[in-house]
């Protein structure tokens, strides 16, 4: 316990280690938060749910914080609904049970570009008589535009951009542009200020009600942006964290420790044990690792857990075991081992106390650099289109971005967000490990 | 006196001779056993690959389905076929499918074909690819592999060899100047190398091709291919810059760091201190007391690195559209093209087996502490 404390204190003396540790802790925090805040099923639903989940999001929109760095402010997407009381609602009911529901949405628009799209969603409850609605648009400079009137079905969507009638009314101008543009400007520029959308719905039955929702698809969305299917990249970035960490940690620990112990046993006992290990290692070396993983992914299953298992299995008897063996072979011939043998130390004692410690200085940097390596193996498979079919991972986001030509469309955020996260994760573990190397390797400390 | 003294001497001579001949016998026996076990390993490895690449026979069903579909599609467009009665049409269809299946050997049992296939593969009779063709139009797996080998060797062989020795050299230099600013720079940069080459490739393409537009996105030479050697080489070099940079960024910092750490561990051995205390020049100390005991590890790394080129860089070659072995392997998997997959694996297995065999002797040569056990 004391030595751990001492080592920990020693570790904190390296700024890079402290930095790496902070990032690792943050990543762990994000992982825990993600798994509680967005449970697995919810994440899968949000990532693979379909248009009904993503309708509020614009397509291929960069994150909202882009505005901080650009002089030209791009509209940020938002959604407001009467169900969550984001509209001012007045209801007047007459004696026959008919009522007039007025939803007024008020929002501030201070951007230099037009939004992608504006849409209204109605959920109406009625028996036989359809409610009737009128949509009015109030601009900051006091103009009133009567957009349209229509009767409502139980589920009704109204997209301004697709209303040809309204487009004709606006003399052929694009509807969204017409609603937001400054009438006095020569070039179409958006008018800044507070807009109001008034939805007046008449219902003709006693229990008939209407819920409305206003969705503005801006040019930007959320903190992470969206992809080609309107999916919020934030989900993938958040859920990618626990997946990457779990994959990297499990694979690195599983392979390194197992192969170290196996190779030490082999060298120490020699004979058929060593022989068997050597044969399995050679058999494994003959099998090309990445191509085998690609084959497993293409032919069998792309499940991330199968990939993890295959990665560990193929790497236990990997090239490292041969390197360890080369070192152990030399160490085994050392006089101090002979001394230990002559005073009657047990096999286990020699293996764990005298043989393996000699390799720890080599092993620690290896283990730590292996974590990011395995994180990147998962990403590599995903980039080849062999990512887990269900879970959202960083690699899959890069793959989607590449497949949809993000770099050539200038949608750099789409590639860079997951790539930077991968890089940060890799760096954090590497920084931590390199410092650990110096702490756990007293021979290096003094040099 | 002299005669008495001679007797034990002669005795000793005989003993030495006996020891020598038994050592030679031991080495020969060891080598033979080693060759045999390695051969069995290669056979087992290739068998595993054949099984994985066929999904234990499932790929056959996929191929059969392909044949059925393509034959049916082909016949449907034929007016003479459409004029036939339903019964005759079915007969025609079955006959066509049978011919196609026989052409691909699908009519015989899977295990029989697997063993035939194995035998051919082991004798390097690699056969014909199912779907892939070489650029010259040949279906021979050998032709495909031979065509893809030069680009891979050119790109990864040259850059890896160069990098390997550069890294060793720099690492040795740094281990002598432990703690200098240059050493610190490499220690600081080492974590950068944890990302794979393709990862850097994507960034490099974004920077130098997409945004700065000074280097080509991908490929090996410009299209149209320059017709004089000078322009051709120049174009080739331009296309090599980004992938080589990706490979270098991926390996250089971490490898230098690892080697440097490795050398540092060995330079803190007592015998090195002793040599220094004796007043040997640092060059002598380095060559005889640091490099000599680390030689087995260096040689192992070099050999494995060279063989690793064979399985290549499937993702990097895909990202850069480089017509090498790695991409051929990836394409073969996509096409379920078992002969190409197995062909490449067999050659890889042989190369590895030979290297492993030779490495054992190299160990014994460079490190007298390693012994052939009885």
């Amino acid at each position: 316990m004391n030595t751990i404390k001492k080592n920990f204190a020693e570790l904190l003396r390296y700024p890079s280690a402290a930095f790496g540790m902070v990032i690792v802790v943050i990543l762990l925090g994000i992982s825990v938060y993600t798994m509680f805040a967005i449970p697995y099923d919810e994440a899968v639903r949000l990532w693979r749910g379909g248009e009904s989940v993503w309708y509020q999001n614009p397509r291929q929109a960069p994150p909202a914080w882009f505005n901080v760095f650009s002089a030209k402010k791009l509209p940020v997407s938002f959604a407001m609904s009467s169900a969550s009381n984001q509209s001012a609602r007045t209801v007047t009911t007459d004696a026959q049970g008919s009522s007039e529901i007025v939803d007024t949405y008020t929002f501030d628009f201070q951007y230099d570009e037009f939004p992608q799209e504006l849409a209204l969603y109605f959920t109406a409850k009625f028996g036989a008589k359809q409610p009737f609605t009128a949509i009015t648009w109030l601009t900051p400079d006091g103009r009133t535009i009567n957009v349209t009137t229509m009767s409502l079905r139980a589920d009704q969507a109204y997209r301004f951009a697709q209303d040809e009638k309204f487009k004709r009314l606006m003399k052929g101008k694009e509807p969204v542009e017409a609603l937001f543009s400054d009438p006095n400007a020569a070039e179409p520029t958006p008018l800044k200020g507070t807009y109001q959308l008034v939805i007046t719905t008449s219902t003709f039955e006693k229990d008939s009600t209407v819920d409305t929702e206003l969705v503005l698809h801006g040019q930007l969305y959320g903190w992470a942006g969206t992809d080609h299917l309107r999916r919020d990249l934030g989900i993938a970035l958040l859920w990618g964290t626990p997946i990457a960490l779990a994959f990297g940690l499990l694979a690195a620990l599983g392979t390194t420790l197992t192969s170290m112990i196996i190779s030490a046993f082999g060298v120490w006992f020699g004979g058929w044990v060593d022989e068997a290990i050597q044969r399995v290692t050679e058999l494994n070396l003959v099998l090309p690792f990445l191509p085998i993983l690609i084959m497993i992914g293409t032919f069998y299953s792309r499940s991330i857990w199968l990939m993890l298992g295959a990665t560990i299995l193929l790497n236990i008897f990997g090239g490292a075991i041969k390197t360890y063996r080369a070192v152990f072979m030399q160490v085994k011939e050392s006089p101090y081992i002979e001394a230990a043998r002559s005073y009657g130390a047990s096999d286990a004692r020699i293996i764990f106390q005298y043989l393996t410690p000699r390799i720890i200085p080599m092993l620690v940097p290896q283990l730590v650099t292996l974590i990011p390596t395995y994180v990147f193996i998962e990403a590599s498979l995903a980039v080849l289109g062999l990512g887990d079919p269900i879970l959202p991972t960083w690699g899959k986001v890069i793959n989607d971005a590449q497949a949809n030509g993000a770099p050539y469309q200038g949608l750099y955020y789409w590639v860079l967000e997951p790539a930077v996260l991968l890089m940060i994760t890799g760096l954090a573990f590497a920084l931590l490990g390199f410092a650990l190397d110096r702490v756990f390797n007293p021979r290096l400390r003094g040099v | 006196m002299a005669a008495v003294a001679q007797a034990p001497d002669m005795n000793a001579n005989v003993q030495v001779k006996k020891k020598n001949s038994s050592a030679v016998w031991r080495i020969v026996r060891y080598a033979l056993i080693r060759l045999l076990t390695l051969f069995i390993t290669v056979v087992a490895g290739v068998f595993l690959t054949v099984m994985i690449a066929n999904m234990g026979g499932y790929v056959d069903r996929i191929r059969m389905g392909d044949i059925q579909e393509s034959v049916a599609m082909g016949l449907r467009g034929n007016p003479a076929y459409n004029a036939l009665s339903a019964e005759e049409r079915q007969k025609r269809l079955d006959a066509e499918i049978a011919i196609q299946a026989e052409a691909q050997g699908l009519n015989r049992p899977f295990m029989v074909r697997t063993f035939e296939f194995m035998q051919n593969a082991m004798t390097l009779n690699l056969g014909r690819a199912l779907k892939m063709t070489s650029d010259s139009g040949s279906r021979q797996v050998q032709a495909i592999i031979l065509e893809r080998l030069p680009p891979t060797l050119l790109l990864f062989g040259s850059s890896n060899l160069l990098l390997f020795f550069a890294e060793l050299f720099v690492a040795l230099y740094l281990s002598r100047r432990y703690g200098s600013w240059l050493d610190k720079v490499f220690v600081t940069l080492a974590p950068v190398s944890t990302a794979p080459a393709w990862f850097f490739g994507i960034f490099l393409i974004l920077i130098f091709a997409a945004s700065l537009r000074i280097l080509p996105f991908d490929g090996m030479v410009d299209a149209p291919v320059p017709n004089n050697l000078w322009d051709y080489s120049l174009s080739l070099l331009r296309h090599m810059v980004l992938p080589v940079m990706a490979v270098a960024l991926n390996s250089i910092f971490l490898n230098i760091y690892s080697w440097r750490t490795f050398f540092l561990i060995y330079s803190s051995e007592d015998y090195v201190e002793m040599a220094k205390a004796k007043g040997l020049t640092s060059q002598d100390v380095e060559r005889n007391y640091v490099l000599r005991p680390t030689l087995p590890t260096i040689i192992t790394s070099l050999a494995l690195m060279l063989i690793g080129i064979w399985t290549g860089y499937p993702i990097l070659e895909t990202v850069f559209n480089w017509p090498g072995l790695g991409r051929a392997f990836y394409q073969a998997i996509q096409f379920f093209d078992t002969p190409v997959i197995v062909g490449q694996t067999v050659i890889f297995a042989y190369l590895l087996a030979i290297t492993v065999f030779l490495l054992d002797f190299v160990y014994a040569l460079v490190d007298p502490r390693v012994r052939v056990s009885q």
Side-chain angles (χ1 to χ4, degrees):
Chain A
M1 198 62 218
N2 228 348
T3 45
I4 292 177
K5 234 183 204 167
K6 223 176 74 191
N7 281 330
F8 190 73
E10 179 83 17
L11 192 62
L12 287 180
R13 278 186 29 225
Y14 296 93
S16 62
F19 179 69
M21 206 150 18
V22 167
I23 293 178
V24 170
V25 168
I26 290 175
L27 288 172
L28 285 174
I30 292 175
S31 307
V32 173
Y33 165 78
T34 306
M35 289 195 289
F36 280 107
I38 316 168
Y40 178 81
D41 293 333
E42 176 68 4
V44 171
R45 189 184 71 83
L46 288 174
W47 191 246
R48 303 175 51 80
E51 198 61 28
S52 62
V53 179
W54 311 321
Y55 71 94
Q56 291 184 343
N57 311 353
R59 209 178 283 279
Q60 296 182 346
W65 45 262
F66 263 39
N67 271 346
V68 179
F69 303 104
S70 89
K72 208 173 192 183
K73 303 298 177 208
L74 301 173
V76 177
S77 312
F78 65 83
M80 298 165 94
S81 71
S82 62
S84 46
N85 292 323
Q86 283 159 322
S87 67
R89 170 170 278 209
T90 55
V91 183
T92 41
T93 312
D94 67 6
Q96 283 87 41
S98 307
S99 53
E100 194 183 66
I101 304 167
V102 183
D103 275 334
T104 309
Y105 288 97
T106 310
F107 61 90
D108 209 26
F109 190 87
Q110 299 287 354
Y111 304 110
D112 302 313
E113 289 270 335
F114 293 105
Q116 271 186 16
E117 158 89 284
L118 193 65
L120 285 172
Y121 297 90
F122 299 91
T123 322
K125 215 170 77 185
F126 57 90
K129 292 178 190 159
Q130 282 178 289
F132 189 78
T133 199
I135 300 163
T136 316
W137 183 255
L138 305 175
T139 59
D141 55 353
R143 286 172 298 136
T144 305
I145 303 172
N146 290 318
V147 181
T148 190
T149 56
M150 60 185 168
S151 27
L152 298 179
R153 292 189 306 267
D155 261 312
Q156 175 102 31
Y158 174 72
R159 292 186 180 80
F160 288 76
Q162 287 169 10
D163 188 345
E164 288 299 321
K165 216 171 104 192
F166 181 60
K167 194 174 170 182
R168 277 200 300 279
L169 194 72
M170 292 287 112
K171 301 181 186 86
K173 259 199 199 166
E174 280 304 320
V176 176
E177 244 177 65
L179 290 175
F180 283 97
S181 60
D182 184 349
N184 302 320
E187 289 285 306
T189 40
L191 186 65
K192 293 178 184 179
T194 306
Y195 286 86
Q196 278 191 313
L197 182 74
V198 184
I199 305 167
T200 315
T201 312
S202 308
T203 61
F204 309 106
E205 288 164 0
K206 211 167 170 204
D207 294 323
S208 181
T209 57
V210 168
D211 276 324
T212 58
E213 184 178 15
L214 166 68
V215 172
L216 181 129
H217 287 175
Q219 312 264 14
L220 304 177
Y221 177 85
W223 61 272
T226 59
D227 67 4
H228 61 301
L229 295 173
R230 303 173 188 273
R231 291 184 294 197
D232 183 359
L233 288 180
I235 306 286
L237 298 186
L238 280 176
W239 256 93
T241 321
I243 295 169
L245 290 189
F247 195 94
L249 276 170
L250 290 176
L253 276 173
T255 52
T256 326
L257 293 182
T258 327
S259 45
M260 176 189 77
I261 291 169
I262 288 177
S263 93
F265 267 85
V267 168
W268 182 246
F269 289 109
W272 68 268
V273 183
D274 190 36
E275 209 46 33
I277 293 168
Q278 287 282 89
R279 292 300 84 76
V280 175
T281 310
E282 273 152 21
L283 178 60
N284 191 64
L285 282 180
V286 166
L287 300 173
F289 170 60
L290 197 58
I292 293 258
L293 272 193
I294 295 173
M295 272 195 254
I296 292 174
T298 314
F299 297 160
Y300 296 89
S301 151
R302 295 182 300 164
S303 152
I304 197 163
W305 304 117
L306 179 77
M307 289 296 178
L308 177 66
T311 307
I312 293 179
L313 266 181
L314 286 168
N315 275 295
I316 284 178
F317 292 98
I321 219 167
K322 257 196 126 52
T323 324
Y324 297 156
R325 185 172 180 271
V327 178
F328 280 139
M329 289 284 269
Q330 290 183 355
V331 176
K332 192 188 171 187
E333 304 293 333
S334 306
Y336 76 94
I337 298 280
E338 265 183 67
R341 211 199 303 228
S342 67
Y343 77 65
S346 70
D347 291 333
R349 185 178 169 82
I350 291 178
I351 288 171
F352 290 106
Q353 302 270 319
Y354 301 128
L355 271 182
T356 46
R358 279 294 290 250
I359 209 133
I360 296 271
M362 246 177 100
L363 192 99
V364 170
Q366 222 155 26
L367 189 139
V368 164
T369 46
L370 271 178
I371 295 176
T373 306
Y374 288 125
V375 170
F376 277 113
I377 278 180
E378 192 274 318
S380 304
L381 289 171
V383 165
L384 286 179
L386 301 172
D388 189 274
I390 297 164
L391 288 168
T393 67
W394 295 336
K396 274 173 76 179
V397 175
I398 297 182
N399 178 237
D400 282 344
Q402 292 283 92
N404 290 287
Y408 313 109
Q409 291 182 49
L411 302 168
Y412 294 130
Y413 74 95
W414 197 356
V415 187
L416 287 179
E417 281 174 1
V420 165
L421 278 172
L422 276 168
M423 199 76 221
I424 286 176
T425 310
L427 273 178
F429 280 104
L431 287 172
L432 187 58
F434 284 25
L436 272 171
D437 179 27
R438 275 175 260 179
V439 173
F440 286 118
N441 182 1
R443 318 179 87 201
L444 278 186
R445 218 183 294 165
V447 191
Chain B
M1 247 329 235
V4 176
Q6 221 176 354
D9 249 356
M10 268 176 66
N11 229 346
N13 257 348
V14 170
Q15 260 177 1
V16 167
K17 253 187 198 157
K18 227 181 201 169
K19 221 178 189 173
N20 271 346
S21 74
S22 84
V24 168
W25 166 236
R26 230 167 60 210
I27 289 170
V28 169
R29 207 182 57 156
Y30 174 80
L32 284 177
I33 294 174
R34 200 84 184 95
L35 273 179
L36 189 71
T37 48
L38 280 174
F39 182 73
I40 294 168
T41 311
V42 172
V43 172
V46 173
F47 179 73
L48 274 179
T49 314
V50 171
M51 292 316 276
I52 295 174
N54 279 304
M55 295 170 81
Y58 184 67
V59 167
D60 281 6
R61 271 189 278 162
I62 296 175
R63 273 158 56 189
M64 203 63 203
D66 269 1
I67 292 174
Q68 278 164 356
E69 193 179 321
S70 70
V71 167
M73 289 292 277
L75 284 179
R76 214 167 292 149
N78 182 348
Y81 170 77
N82 287 330
L84 296 173
S85 71
E87 209 171 285
E88 278 192 24
R89 264 191 291 188
Q90 189 58 43
K91 231 164 94 186
R92 231 347 243 297
L93 188 70
D94 289 342
E96 280 284 325
I97 290 171
I99 291 171
Q100 293 286 336
E102 203 179 328
Q104 296 200 15
L106 288 171
N107 54 337
R108 288 177 305 131
F110 171 68
M111 282 319 275
V112 173
R113 275 186 301 122
T114 301
F115 279 106
E116 272 183 21
F117 191 56
M118 289 263 317
Q119 196 188 350
N120 284 333
M122 295 305 295
T123 49
L124 289 184
N125 181 4
L126 300 180
R128 289 156 63 87
L130 297 176
K131 289 221 176 89
M132 288 177 77
T133 52
S134 69
D135 287 344
S136 55
S138 168
R139 272 276 172 98
Q140 295 292 326
V141 174
Q142 202 180 350
I144 296 173
I145 290 178
L146 284 179
E147 193 182 76
R148 301 297 191 105
L149 185 59
T152 293
L153 278 184
L154 175 71
L155 182 58
F156 299 107
S158 56
S159 56
N160 273 334
L161 266 181
L162 210 72
L163 276 170
F164 185 83
F165 289 108
E167 283 160 3
L168 272 189
F169 185 76
V170 175
L172 212 53
Y173 174 84
L174 290 181
S175 76
R176 249 183 290 149
R177 282 163 184 71
Y178 177 82
S180 65
W181 68 269
L182 196 63
D183 184 44
K184 279 184 184 137
V185 165
F186 274 98
V187 173
T188 318
L189 284 178
V192 174
S193 286
T194 46
W198 64 261
F199 191 76
F200 293 109
I202 287 178
F203 279 103
L204 292 173
I205 289 177
L206 273 184
I207 298 168
F208 292 102
S211 153
L212 295 178
R213 295 189 182 277
I214 48 174
L215 285 167
F217 275 90
D218 53 14
M220 202 167 106
V221 280
D222 288 331
V225 179
N227 45 17
N228 69 61
L229 193 66
W230 171 250
D231 285 346
Y232 186 88
S233 317
L234 212 68
S235 160
L236 196 63
L237 281 177
R238 268 168 54 80
H239 283 80
M240 275 173 72
V241 173
L242 290 185
V244 168
M245 266 168 82
V247 174
L249 280 172
N250 162 245
S251 78
I252 199 159
F253 302 117
L254 191 66
N255 283 353
I256 286 178
Y257 174 82
S258 304
W259 282 120
R260 154 204 170 279
T261 313
F262 186 65
F263 288 138
L264 272 176
I265 291 172
Y266 275 86
S267 7
S268 62
E269 291 282 358
D270 293 339
Y271 53 77
V272 179
E273 298 294 331
M274 177 69 184
K276 277 185 200 160
K278 277 199 293 193
L280 293 181
T281 62
S282 65
Q283 219 178 359
D284 278 343
V285 172
E286 209 158 75
R287 204 180 315 134
N288 297 327
Y289 295 88
V290 180
L291 272 183
R292 189 77 197 276
T294 54
L295 214 50
T297 315
I298 294 175
I299 292 171
T300 311
S301 298
L302 177 66
L304 291 180
M305 181 274 286
L306 285 177
I307 300 168
I309 294 170
W310 185 265
T311 46
Y313 294 75
I315 309 179
L316 190 67
E317 287 187 353
T318 308
V319 166
F320 280 104
N321 212 7
W322 191 266
L325 281 172
R327 205 170 118 233
F329 211 127
Y330 179 57
Q331 285 171 332
I333 293 169
Q334 298 293 299
F335 287 136
F336 299 100
D337 206 329
T338 321
V340 181
I341 299 174
V342 174
Q344 276 192 280
T345 313
V346 169
I347 296 177
F348 177 70
Y350 270 130
L351 282 177
L352 208 92
I354 294 166
T355 313
V356 168
F357 178 70
L358 292 178
L359 273 182
D360 271 337
F361 291 93
V362 174
Y363 287 158
L365 279 180
V366 298
D367 192 341
R369 289 174 299 179
V370 175
R371 294 190 298 231
V372 176
S373 61
Q374 302 275 349

